[in-house]
Amino acid sequence: MNKHTFTFAILFSFLIFSCAKNTNTNQLNNDTYTKVNSLMSLMTIKEKIGQTIMYSGDWDVTGPVVSSNNMKLLRDGNLGAMFNVYSAKKTKELQKIAVEETRLGIPLLFGYDVIHGFKTIFPINLGHAASWDIEDIKKSARIAAEEASSEGLHWTFAPMLDIGRDPRWGRVSECAGEDVFLTNEIAKAYVNGFQGDDLSKHNTILSCAKHFVGYGAAQAGRDYNTVNMGEDELRNVYLPPFKAAVDAGAESFMTAFNELNGVPATGNSYIFRDILRDEWGFNGFVVSDYTAINELVTHGFAEDEMNAAEIAIKAGIDLDMMSGAYKSYLEKLVNEEKINVDLINDACRRILTAKYKLGLFDDPYRYSVNARERETIYKTEYLEAARKSAAMSCVLLKNDDALPLSKKETIALIGPLVKDKENIIGNWAAAGDRNGKAISIYQGIKSYLNDTNILYTKGCDINTNNKSGFKKAISLAKKADKIVLVMGENYHMSGEAASRTNIKIPGVQTQLIKALRKEVPNKQIILILMNGRPLDLSEEDSLTDAILETWFPGTSGGYGVADVLFGKYNPSAKLPITFPRSVGQIPIYYNVKNTGRPITLDNPKEDYKSNYIDSPNTPLYPFGHGLSYTNFDYSDITLSSNKIGTSDTLSVLVNIKNTGNYDGHEIVQLYIHDKVGSITRPVKELKGFKKIFLKKGENKRVVFKITNEDLKFFNGYEFLTEAGEFEIAISNSSDFHFKKKFELKVNY
Ligand code: NOJ
């Protein structure tokens, strides 16, 4: 045993001894606090600052390359965390250096972007949100945590909880869409799924709610761009999912790259100290986004990097991802009395506390076990779960009797994404394999059809002008019963730094659809889409007979999509984000304000009304839209009362009957409209949803409960309800007219 291992052993026998006395959560917290403090009493200021520094292990590149000399920092005991490095072997190797070669042997924290799966990749987050299946999303996070933790990871930079209302922004693919209520539910599911019920278990990982806050509102949908919004929008729309994450126990937060009302998020003590810590009581740790601390200089908010470090630590940012500013300047800032050393102590304490909670001080290698890694990665049950999630995330946007496919039909299978195994897992696919592991749509369809029934050709590329494949595509289409096209974006076209001004299907793909429509006019065309954002599908909508939005469906995507195409899974997903008619309608979302001059009909010709002169206001496909192979009939919507008091519960009942020819799931949505407010309220707000299953011919009574809590909003000063009239509806999408009302009475 060398001298360092010896120090570690002494320190930890003391810590383990105190751990044995834990009997309840409070005591555990107190014990953790005591243990952290006793460890910190041994630490130099340099070692404490070391805990506030994180560098990339360079196995993956998720930002500008920065030279960091991270191995020297690690050996000197001046590096608290690493990211972009994984596998049981590699993490163990690095952890050994931290534990056995440094003075105090403090274990490293390994983070990574485990966004929609780790190895087994689930549909991109926007796609999975379309399932509205909270349990399934939670399960996907649990599986991701199982796999990631078996490769030595302790912490994921997820969930991403930005509200996304601008399809030009590439990062809408990572979020849960445009709606607050749906995003809140999904926030809790991800946090609970990643963190499980006991962080000290070796298969649970810390979650990280990001990006705090307002990132989704970047002007013009251009990534990293400026954000300006009033307190109303901030509190009612952008903050709630983060509050939901805190309430669910999220252990960490990440800053956003944008400025918010003139103050960059990474230097914004209003959001991090006043709201997150003081108002919401968050006591986990905050990490900056990648190089975001030194970007305070570029923003024009800090004079230089030293000033940037000062602003960030004062704003409550505990861990510096990649900027180097904390490493270079925190000690100097203390020496020059620009910051109080307590700021460093607080940051270090929070990070060490997370390491304790993970059990790293009991056994720093517990996450890096080769045998568990081998048993865990790509388990059959995980691949099966991913197949189910892919099916549950496919939104049937349009269907004029073209789907489902029958096993007897011959199909012309055309498009650049038919055989794709690279793009299908989407952007931010963590350690997911792009070289063959994923199931292509071709393979999925082949599992239902004989080879002779599939006439395949690529037809064109995703994003070039090459039309040389059109001829063959047309000739195959002529020989088939139906034309099935698999088209869309490549995975680089969404995600970080992937904003688009044109949200049409790229390249000559739409031209190929036009050519097929023209040359083979009597055959049904089914368009299967892969993409990471709402696209402008106005042309495709008029050229095709069915459109199935599969997003990027993940490792088992081909099977999941084929299950939908052949009716094994009757599509049930609903759009979590509006699909516009054209880029000119953006931002477009369902829960808008009425304005003083709303249009009565969707009529572009009305004078002096809030409309366009060249387009309807309505989108192509609204939020909440998604078809099924069967029909669900909604009737007898009844309210338990037409007046409620603030302590009452309103029951809202609806009768739903499956009147079609297939069994299926339906996502039943409840919306309200608070008609008059001390600040104006949106014309519609989702306040509940339920996924139900009905066999053909079956009938169900579905009940929603609404309480005062559900009706609250932030009025500029506080969250409250105001007495008055509310409209209420239960519907299969956000496209409906209210017919029922109730009144909220205060002191009733
Ligand atoms: C930058 C991204 O904004 C963030 O979401 C991600 O977690 C980090 N890079 C780390 O890769």
Side-chain angles (χ1 to χ4, degrees):
M1 189 183 277
N2 67 27
K3 98 173 168 341
H4 302 304
T5 322
F6 179 71
T7 318
F8 180 79
I10 302 270
L11 180 64
F12 292 108
S13 22
F14 159 70
L15 297 170
I16 288 160
F17 171 70
S18 49
C19 203
K21 291 187 299 193
N22 294 332
T23 50
N24 63 35
T25 317
N26 280 340
Q27 194 177 341
L28 176 80
N29 290 341
N30 289 338
D31 285 353
T32 305
Y33 189 78
T34 314
K35 283 186 258 173
V36 169
N37 279 343
S38 58
L39 172 55
M40 282 179 59
S41 69
L42 304 174
M43 293 171 79
T44 63
I45 183 158
K46 265 206 171 53
E47 285 164 337
K48 289 177 185 169
I49 292 169
Q51 291 303 305
T52 73
I53 295 167
M54 174 163 74
Y55 277 110
S56 169
D58 299 332
W59 277 33
D60 211 341
V61 180
T62 58
V65 175
V66 172
S67 119
S68 62
N69 205 357
N70 52 26
M71 291 313 286
K72 174 162 177 17
L73 284 175
L74 173 59
R75 289 211 155 81
D76 292 348
N78 292 329
L79 187 65
M82 291 185 84
F83 70 118
N84 288 345
V85 57
Y86 52 86
S87 82
K89 182 166 176 283
K90 186 67 190 173
T91 53
K92 184 156 189 183
E93 199 180 298
L94 294 165
Q95 194 67 294
K96 253 178 156 258
I97 300 175
V99 170
E100 294 181 17
E101 294 184 32
T102 69
R103 195 178 75 92
L104 291 172
I106 300 173
L108 273 169
L109 183 68
F110 290 107
Y112 194 49
D113 289 285
V114 183
I115 307 295
H116 52 106
F118 176 67
K119 286 271 189 191
T120 303
I121 302 301
F122 286 81
I124 56 164
N125 308 81
L126 186 63
H128 213 167
S131 73
W132 298 46
D133 195 315
I134 301 305
E135 276 311 307
D136 196 65
I137 291 170
K138 182 172 163 191
K139 186 171 171 189
S140 74
R142 186 84 293 284
I143 290 172
E146 291 274 359
E147 287 192 338
S149 62
S150 82
E151 293 224 0
L153 296 170
H154 312 128
W155 176 32
T156 173
F157 308 141
M160 195 269 221
L161 301 176
D162 302 307
I163 294 290
R165 292 179 163 181
D166 194 326
R168 292 170 298 184
W169 190 47
R171 302 199 81 169
V172 291
S173 61
E174 295 169 56
C175 76
E178 72 188 40
D179 185 62
V180 182
F181 185 89
L182 181 59
T183 306
N184 288 350
E185 296 304 301
I186 290 177
K188 291 183 258 176
Y190 275 121
V191 171
N192 291 329
F194 288 132
Q195 295 192 173
D197 49 14
D198 180 358
L199 271 178
S200 71
K201 286 188 182 157
H202 67 176
N203 62 352
T204 53
I205 57 178
L206 307 172
S207 66
C208 180
K210 72 183 188 186
H211 307 85
F212 205 57
V213 62
Y215 191 29
Q219 283 176 5
R222 179 156 57 80
D223 208 358
Y224 318 124
N225 207 2
T226 306
V227 174
N228 270 300
M229 69 171 75
E231 200 72 9
D232 159 22
E233 195 174 8
L234 181 66
R235 298 270 181 176
N236 285 313
V237 180
Y238 286 85
L239 284 176
F242 290 96
K243 173 72 165 55
V246 171
D247 293 345
E251 290 286 342
S252 71
F253 262 58
M254 188 186 290
T255 71
F257 281 125
N258 55 283
E259 65 167 66
L260 177 68
N261 302 330
V263 180
T266 307
N268 197 320
S269 61
Y270 173 58
I271 57 175
F272 282 103
R273 291 212 182 267
D274 300 354
I275 297 180
L276 181 62
R277 294 211 183 273
D278 296 348
E279 269 184 46
W280 296 354
F282 173 71
N283 54 22
F285 69 95
V286 174
V287 61
S288 78
D289 203 344
Y290 199 109
T291 60
I293 296 181
N294 51 24
E295 287 169 25
L296 293 174
V297 179
T298 336
H299 272 288
F301 192 69
E303 281 162 20
D304 50 28
E305 276 190 23
M306 178 154 155
N307 187 215
E310 177 183 345
I311 292 170
I313 194 95
K314 283 184 174 163
I317 316 309
D318 304 307
L319 184 57
D320 175 355
M321 186 198 299
M322 294 302 279
S323 95
Y326 279 9
K327 170 175 66 92
S328 307
Y329 298 110
L330 282 188
E331 190 172 1
K332 196 162 178 235
L333 284 164
V334 173
N335 293 340
E336 292 183 11
E337 296 185 356
K338 291 201 165 136
I339 61 167
N340 190 309
V341 71
D342 284 347
L343 289 175
I344 297 171
N345 285 332
D346 288 347
C348 173
R349 182 177 297 109
R350 291 184 191 122
I351 292 153
L352 290 177
T353 302
K355 293 183 180 183
Y356 272 102
K357 286 187 180 173
L358 287 164
L360 294 180
F361 286 103
D362 294 335
D363 175 5
Y365 306 117
R366 62 201 331 230
Y367 285 70
S368 308
V369 177
N370 288 319
R372 184 163 87 89
E373 177 180 36
R374 273 194 306 276
E375 284 158 19
T376 307
I377 298 303
Y378 289 131
K379 266 191 194 170
T380 311
E381 66 183 86
Y382 298 169
L383 294 169
E384 268 307 303
R387 171 180 187 156
K388 211 171 137 207
S389 303
M392 294 199 303
S393 304
C394 289
V395 185
L396 186 59
L397 294 174
K398 160 177 184 159
N399 189 19
D400 292 337
D401 279 334
L403 287 174
L405 296 173
S406 124
K407 288 188 182 172
K408 293 183 199 122
E409 288 170 319
T410 296
I411 59 167
L413 188 53
I414 301 166
L417 287 160
V418 172
K419 291 198 170 177
D420 171 84
K421 286 165 169 266
E422 184 195 0
N423 294 289
I424 195 166
I425 60 171
N427 64 79
W428 288 116
D433 181 68
R434 293 198 194 275
N435 297 312
K437 181 75 191 174
I439 303 298
S440 67
I441 304 283
Y442 183 83
Q443 285 171 292
I445 290 180
K446 251 185 92 162
S447 70
Y448 282 89
L449 285 185
N450 290 330
D451 278 359
T452 47
N453 290 114
I454 306 175
L455 310 175
Y456 164 73
T457 185
K458 187 173 165 201
C460 63
D461 303 318
I462 296 175
N463 198 11
T464 70
N465 292 327
N466 184 354
K467 294 187 193 171
S468 60
F470 280 26
K471 210 168 150 204
K472 182 165 179 204
I474 291 165
S475 93
L476 289 187
K478 286 184 176 162
K479 294 183 200 140
D481 298 317
K482 282 181 181 165
I483 304 162
V484 179
L485 307 173
V486 189
M487 296 181 163
E489 297 181 300
N490 65 45
Y491 79 94
H492 295 294
M493 296 179 96
S494 52
E496 191 179 344
S499 299
R500 294 182 68 194
T501 56
N502 167 1
I503 56 162
K504 289 178 185 284
I505 299 179
V508 292
Q509 298 178 83
T510 304
Q511 291 186 42
L512 176 56
I513 308 178
K514 273 190 200 153
L516 288 163
R517 179 82 298 166
K518 186 164 169 249
E519 301 297 330
V520 200
N522 301 324
K523 300 220 169 129
Q524 288 184 312
I525 299 182
I526 295 147
L527 175 60
I528 300 170
L529 283 172
M530 273 188 225
N531 48 281
R533 56 158 57 75
L535 294 172
D536 165 357
L537 299 172
S538 294
E539 276 191 286
E540 293 75 10
D541 183 77
S542 66
L543 291 167
T544 61
D545 298 281
I547 304 182
L548 186 71
E549 174 59 80
T550 75
W551 316 97
F552 290 110
T555 308
S556 306
Y559 288 142
V561 171
D563 290 342
V564 172
L565 292 174
F566 289 90
K568 183 175 172 205
Y569 186 84
N570 185 352
S572 60
K574 304 277 188 181
L575 290 179
I577 189 164
T578 304
F579 274 45
R581 290 175 195 276
S582 70
V583 80
Q585 289 185 313
I586 296 170
I588 180 170
Y589 47 93
Y590 83 95
N591 48 356
V592 291
K593 300 289 186 74
N594 207 27
T595 79
R597 294 187 175 187
I599 47 173
T600 36
L601 298 166
D602 199 29
N603 179 3
K605 298 206 178 78
E606 279 189 278
D607 262 352
Y608 299 105
K609 291 289 172 100
S610 180
N611 57 359
Y612 299 101
I613 56 172
D614 58 355
S615 161
N617 282 9
T618 49
L620 185 64
Y621 305 121
F623 173 85
H625 166 77
L627 304 172
S628 163
Y629 296 148
T630 191
N631 294 313
F632 295 102
D633 184 53
Y634 287 55
S635 63
D636 298 337
I637 299 178
T638 49
L639 309 186
S640 56
S641 169
N642 55 9
K643 278 195 188 67
I644 58 164
T646 47
S647 51
D648 294 338
T649 299
L650 178 74
S651 300
V652 194
L653 295 89
V654 64
N655 202 42
I656 302 183
K657 185 168 186 191
N658 181 344
T659 56
N661 291 323
Y662 297 84
D663 301 345
H665 293 89
E666 170 72 327
I667 293 159
V668 188
Q669 303 158 40
L670 179 136
Y671 295 86
I672 61 142
H673 173 210
D674 185 350
K675 289 183 74 182
V676 180
S678 55
I679 61 165
T680 59
R681 311 300 310 126
V683 295
K684 282 171 188 170
E685 289 178 90
L686 181 76
K687 288 293 173 184
F689 61 86
K690 288 194 169 142
K691 185 171 176 182
I692 59 164
F693 178 75
L694 290 179
K695 289 193 155 306
K696 60 179 173 183
E698 202 188 346
N699 208 31
K700 251 185 203 155
R701 201 95 178 113
V702 178
V703 185
F704 288 92
K705 304 272 183 199
I706 294 288
T707 67
N708 194 52
E709 249 345 90
D710 301 310
L711 305 176
K712 283 188 173 167
F713 67 97
F714 187 79
N715 74 345
Y717 305 97
E718 57 179 326
F719 275 93
L720 46 59
T721 47
E722 292 172 346
E725 203 170 63
F726 288 77
E727 294 182 295
I728 189 157
I730 296 180
S731 176
N732 61 0
S733 88
S734 63
D735 182 20
F736 65 86
H737 296 291
F738 284 106
K739 290 196 186 111
K740 299 269 172 192
K741 292 175 190 166
F742 70 93
E743 194 184 338
L744 177 72
K745 293 243 182 203
V746 175
N747 303 326
Y748 175 60

